[in-house]
Amino acid sequence: MAATICRSLCCAPPPGRTRKTTQASRRASRSTTLATPLIHSTSKKKVLVPIGLGTEEMEAVILVDVLRRAGADVIVASVEPELQIEGSSGTKLVADTSISACANEMFDLVALPGGMPGSARLRDCQVLRRIITKQAEDKKLYGAICAAPAVVLMSWGLMKRKKMTCHPAFMSKLPTFWAVQSNLQVSGELTTSRGPGTTFEFALSFVQQLFGDKSAADVGELLMMRLGGGRHLKKEFNKIDWSFDQTPRVLVPIANGSEEMEVVMLVDILRRAKVDVVVASVEKCIQVVASQNTNIVADKSIGDASEHTYDLIILPGGAGGAERLGKSKVLKKLLKEQKESGRIYGGICSAPAILQKHGFLKDKIATAHPSVINKLTGQVADGAGIVIDGNVITCQGLGTVMDFSMNIVHKLFGHGRTRSLAEGIVFEYDKS
């Protein structure tokens, strides 16, 4: 089915902490809307993020989202004949333009996401090769993550005499003397990193290099990142078993203004865990424009998705997106059936406030983004980024979503599969 493009743009709210207290309210009131760039300049920094068939969607979307929040003018360019590409875990993204349209442009940064065969598709694009070769010759910033340092930059000879890192599965392709096993390696104009689980660190490094230490710290704080080690605290109440005899089926509804990082991280991680994930648009078209202007194509409409039942329904955040999800009669009907049947559901960021509004958090302990935490009329778990209460799971959003998604995998499949998945995406996993 051909997708009609919906262009109504919505904003995502800022992060912070938990609990309905006067102090929390003051923190939330001081927060800045995350859709608003932190850097205001007459000459924006221009960034190119190329994508292709099989690009790792978490890496691409986190890079774009974080840099746009910092104030960069980010162009997503497809190296394929068409603008729409399918990522390595099946998420469909639509680029802003083609790579050929960028051939004569000047960029302050060119950042390559990884993934396979996405990295090979980038490597085989001669236009991109000329762009990034000139970037290196002009001593301007460039970088790559996951498979891309070894598959793309090494094959182009752009990492000579540079310390570098990449995904553990590709480390053997790097020169032993120059290879380093660190999550992030900055060597002059070149920055490399290891995988989806290190992409926030990779993206914030570019924010620091483009805009300075303070901007990087500000963006990291707004995203609720914990870059010095340690995971986001999870609290679980009224513990029940989430295991299934069959492959779990999960519904992730999206709308214009949904937070793209939250959608993509959740869907990508669950699909890696072999969960059957359906992304459904509540809009009149299946292509939505997310909160930071990333174009995502859903698998189907919410009407078509409603023909099935789901083991889990998880609502992503983004202030505008969550509001639009809350207005969907079809989704509300699905959630009502989910609650009445005792099946699992939950929300991220501002979405728990929508669940609360429609009575789906009654008698449940929960958390939410600090800008909406005062809308939760029930008990709020103090200090927790992720809260599970029986068959309901909620989290604060953004930087907590990778932990949130891994906790779902752990509840569904246990420690073994979760640890294996964490190793594959280079994510620090604490089995406790």
Side-chain angles (χ1 to χ4, degrees):
M1 170 174 24
T4 306
I5 300 178
C6 292
R7 291 289 181 187
S8 59
L9 303 182
C10 305
C11 297
R17 294 198 36 179
T18 58
R19 203 172 179 85
K20 297 185 295 176
T21 62
T22 302
Q23 184 179 8
S25 298
R26 285 198 298 267
R27 283 197 298 267
S29 68
R30 288 198 299 267
S31 298
T32 305
T33 300
L34 283 179
T36 304
L38 292 181
I39 309 299
H40 301 280
S41 172
T42 54
S43 58
K44 278 191 173 183
K45 300 293 186 180
K46 197 169 182 179
V47 177
L48 174 65
V49 177
I51 59 174
L53 176 64
T55 286
E56 173 29 68
E57 49 261 70
M58 274 197 284
E59 294 167 357
V61 170
I62 291 171
L63 267 172
V64 172
D65 194 316
V66 171
L67 286 164
R68 282 179 175 164
R69 289 174 192 274
D73 177 14
V74 183
I75 298 173
V76 181
S78 171
V79 302
E80 307 295 343
E82 56 283 322
L83 296 184
Q84 181 176 316
I85 67 98
E86 185 171 311
S88 59
S89 292
T91 300
K92 302 176 188 71
L93 304 174
V94 181
D96 304 318
T97 189
S98 65
I99 193 67
S100 58
C102 303
N104 298 317
E105 298 286 333
M106 303 289 289
F107 297 97
D108 297 287
L109 165 67
V110 180
L112 308 184
M116 289 296 288
S119 295
R121 306 291 285 192
L122 300 187
R123 178 199 63 203
D124 295 340
C125 177
Q126 293 306 307
V127 175
L128 177 60
R129 180 173 183 171
R130 288 193 292 272
I131 290 171
I132 204 164
T133 298
K134 188 176 189 310
Q135 194 80 4
E137 290 172 349
D138 292 346
K139 303 292 185 183
K140 290 187 175 181
L141 298 178
Y142 65 104
I145 189 169
C146 193
V151 174
V152 185
L153 298 184
M154 274 291 297
S155 66
W156 291 347
L158 295 178
M159 299 206 298
K160 292 178 180 177
R161 298 185 179 277
K162 299 279 190 183
K163 291 286 187 182
M164 64 197 82
T165 191
C166 71
H167 191 278
F170 291 85
M171 285 295 288
S172 62
K173 297 182 181 297
L174 301 182
T176 304
F177 181 76
W178 298 101
V180 290
Q181 295 193 21
S182 61
N183 286 348
L184 181 74
Q185 178 61 41
V186 180
S187 183
E189 299 81 25
L190 171 66
T191 301
T192 51
S193 190
R194 309 205 80 187
T198 68
T199 311
F200 277 109
E201 196 172 351
F202 183 57
L204 286 171
S205 171
F206 288 133
V207 175
Q208 186 273 330
Q209 292 175 71
L210 289 170
F211 300 112
D213 293 342
K214 185 178 186 303
S215 295
D218 289 345
V219 174
E221 182 179 355
L222 288 171
L223 294 173
M224 293 184 287
M225 297 309 304
R226 294 191 172 186
L227 293 177
R231 308 311 321 154
H232 292 279
L233 178 64
K234 178 203 77 176
K235 290 187 177 180
E236 184 166 7
F237 308 90
N238 304 310
K239 190 172 182 178
I240 63 171
D241 181 28
W242 283 20
S243 61
F244 297 92
D245 295 331
Q246 76 287 347
T247 299
R249 172 173 277 191
V250 177
L251 175 66
V252 179
I254 61 174
N256 290 320
S258 288
E259 171 44 57
E260 50 262 74
M261 281 198 293
E262 296 172 354
V263 172
V264 171
M265 283 188 282
L266 175 66
V267 172
D268 192 327
I269 288 172
L270 292 183
R271 283 179 173 162
R272 285 171 179 269
K274 307 305 180 186
V275 173
D276 180 11
V277 181
V278 175
V279 180
S281 169
V282 303
E283 307 291 350
K284 292 179 180 179
C285 50
I286 62 170
Q287 181 169 322
V288 306
V289 184
S291 67
Q292 298 299 318
N293 293 348
T294 297
N295 291 275
I296 301 174
V297 180
D299 301 318
K300 57 181 67 176
S301 69
I302 193 67
D304 290 341
S306 68
E307 297 174 1
H308 304 277
T309 58
Y310 298 89
D311 299 301
L312 292 85
I313 300 177
I314 304 293
L315 277 59
E323 286 292 335
R324 296 180 75 84
L325 294 181
K327 292 177 181 177
S328 169
K329 293 180 181 179
V330 176
L331 178 57
K332 282 188 280 187
K333 184 173 182 289
L334 285 170
L335 285 167
K336 182 180 178 182
E337 293 170 353
Q338 200 79 359
K339 183 176 187 292
E340 290 175 348
S341 64
R343 295 193 297 267
I344 306 159
Y345 60 95
I348 300 168
C349 193
S350 52
I354 302 301
L355 295 175
Q356 175 71 57
K357 180 179 178 180
H358 296 290
F360 298 120
L361 292 185
K362 184 178 180 182
D363 300 323
K364 292 292 184 180
I365 305 170
T367 191
H369 188 277
S371 66
V372 299
I373 200 79
N374 60 356
K375 295 181 180 180
L376 302 189
T377 57
Q379 186 176 347
V380 176
D382 187 28
I386 300 108
V387 177
I388 305 172
D389 185 356
N391 65 330
V392 174
I393 182 167
T394 53
C395 81
Q396 294 179 315
L398 298 167
T400 69
V401 175
M402 214 169 277
D403 285 285
F404 173 84
S405 305
M406 298 297 285
N407 271 281
I408 293 177
V409 174
H410 186 269
K411 287 289 292 182
L412 293 174
F413 303 111
H415 171 58
R417 189 177 300 191
T418 311
R419 181 182 61 187
S420 176
L421 195 157
E423 290 173 355
I425 66 171
V426 197
F427 178 76
E428 178 191 339
Y429 168 62
D430 181 358
K431 67 179 181 181
S432 63

